[in-house]
Amino acid sequence: MPVPMEEFRTDGHADVLGAIVGHERPVVIRGLAKHWPIVSAAAESDLAFASKLAAFDNGTVVDALLMKPEEEGVIGYSADFDAFNFSHDRISVSFGLKQLLHFSQRENPPGLAMQSAPIAACLPGFLEEHTIPFLDRNIQPRIWIGNQVTTPAHFDEFHNIACVVGGARRFTLFAPDQISNLYIGPLDFAPTGAAISIARLDRPDDPRFPRLKLALEQALVADLQPGDAIYIPPMWWHHVTSLGKVNALVNYWWKPGLGSGHVPQTLLGCLLHCILGFKSLPPAERDAWRGLLDHYVFNDEDPAAHIPPTRRGMLGPLDAERVTQLRETIRRYL
């Protein structure tokens, strides 16, 4: 059975980064955003929440997904995998909030989700009174607004702090090593950009996905109320269920070292290149390349310790000059 997640409590102002980042484990941060005005509005009513949020709207359109009621709010694919199970639109936050309030009066409404909207672009005034003091102000938060929608398990390459500001959400997290038990869909045809699990967690007995139960035995689960937050380390699979008829989440993604010249925004291109380069090799050659990757990339020991520092080349410290040279070498190989 899933187990509760580790919890950290804060008054919303303390610097908690040192307590949660670097331990490579998810942590629930109770009360991180409880002092935010939007959280107070959510505690009053859905209408008060929507009115408070809409007051910041400058009319910029954002991405929105709309699902038929029979999809039960679960983002995914059509039955034949030829398409996604939602339609895509571009709407203003205010228009979306009006739709959500309308849908909240229906017993079996369509699923609606405004996804990953940059707050600075669509709700600029929001940032003046809704901040996390210990995060770098260069980290641009995003907002996710919807009704009872579920985003299946997927991973991000970034550190992530996500704050529930309206409604409630259930997070179910899986360690990176659970990938083979989660039945991940296509890498190049994913509903929300990131590859997702096609196994439903609420249907563990589905005979198509027998290893799902193994993943669920290792799962970490947390229910978050308005004002609560969660820290999700990079590469952890997270399944997110929105439980309220009107809900919202603000999240902050960041990658330490982005300014140092050698931490790319994404490594998915590297993964795809490896699939292209290694997947079709004979087993013996694949094993040989696996050994090289382990030796030069994934081994924590320095593979160049026996080479004079002046001759370590691309195996030496990756300063800006060496990164530029390495990228040029890669271009020539490609």
Side-chain angles (χ1 to χ4, degrees), residues 63-67 75 86-89 111-115 191-192:
D63 288 321
L65 312 181
L66 183 66
M67 285 178 283
I75 294 173
F86 55 82
S87 59
H88 178 262
D89 204 351
L112 172 62
M114 289 174 275
Q115 301 278 79
T192 59

Side-chain angles (χ1 to χ4, degrees), residues 45-73:
S45 67
D46 287 343
L47 178 59
F49 164 80
S51 299
K52 175 73 174 175
L53 197 58
F56 297 109
D57 182 19
N58 65 3
T60 299
V61 294
V62 302
D63 288 321
L65 312 181
L66 183 66
M67 285 178 283
K68 295 178 180 178
E70 53 264 34
E71 299 296 341
E72 300 178 313

Side-chain angles (χ1 to χ4, degrees), residues 2 23 49-50 96 123 127 143 153 181 207 211 223 233-234 251 285 300 334:
H23 301 288
F49 164 80
L123 305 169
L127 298 176
I143 193 165
N181 297 328
R211 296 191 306 276
D223 286 349
N251 90 295
E285 287 185 56
D300 290 332
L334 290 175

Side-chain angles (χ1 to χ4, degrees), residues 205-269:
D205 295 318
D206 189 325
R208 296 174 298 170
F209 312 117
R211 296 191 306 276
L212 178 61
K213 289 182 178 180
L214 298 177
L216 289 171
E217 290 174 0
Q218 304 295 321
L220 301 177
V221 178
D223 286 349
L224 273 60
Q225 300 298 322
D228 293 336
I230 185 172
Y231 166 68
I232 303 175
M235 310 304 292
W236 275 71
W237 298 92
H238 46 289
H239 175 281
V240 187
T241 301
S242 299
L243 303 173
K245 293 183 178 180
V246 178
N247 61 78
L249 176 144
V250 172
N251 90 295
Y252 300 78
W253 278 316
W254 77 94
K255 251 190 180 182
L258 275 176
S260 65
H262 64 270
V263 181
Q265 283 280 359
T266 177
L267 290 170
L268 285 176

Side-chain angles (χ1 to χ4, degrees), residues 55-58 119-120 122-130:
F56 297 109
D57 182 19
N58 65 3
I119 293 177
C122 60
L123 305 169
F126 183 91
L127 298 176
E128 296 178 10
E129 50 186 18
H130 302 86

Side-chain angles (χ1 to χ4, degrees), residues 11 28 51 90 92 119 141 184 195 200 204 216 238 249 268 319 322 326 328 331:
D11 61 2
V28 172
S51 299
R90 298 275 289 170
S92 70
I119 293 177
I184 305 305
R200 288 187 51 158
L216 289 171
H238 46 289
L249 176 144
L268 285 176
D319 55 26
R322 189 161 283 136
L326 186 54
E328 184 56 37
R331 289 191 189 96

Side-chain angles (χ1 to χ4, degrees), residues 300-316:
D300 290 332
E301 296 181 7
D302 182 1
H306 58 286
I307 303 174
T310 56
R311 284 299 178 190
R312 291 179 185 175
M314 66 182 65
L315 297 178

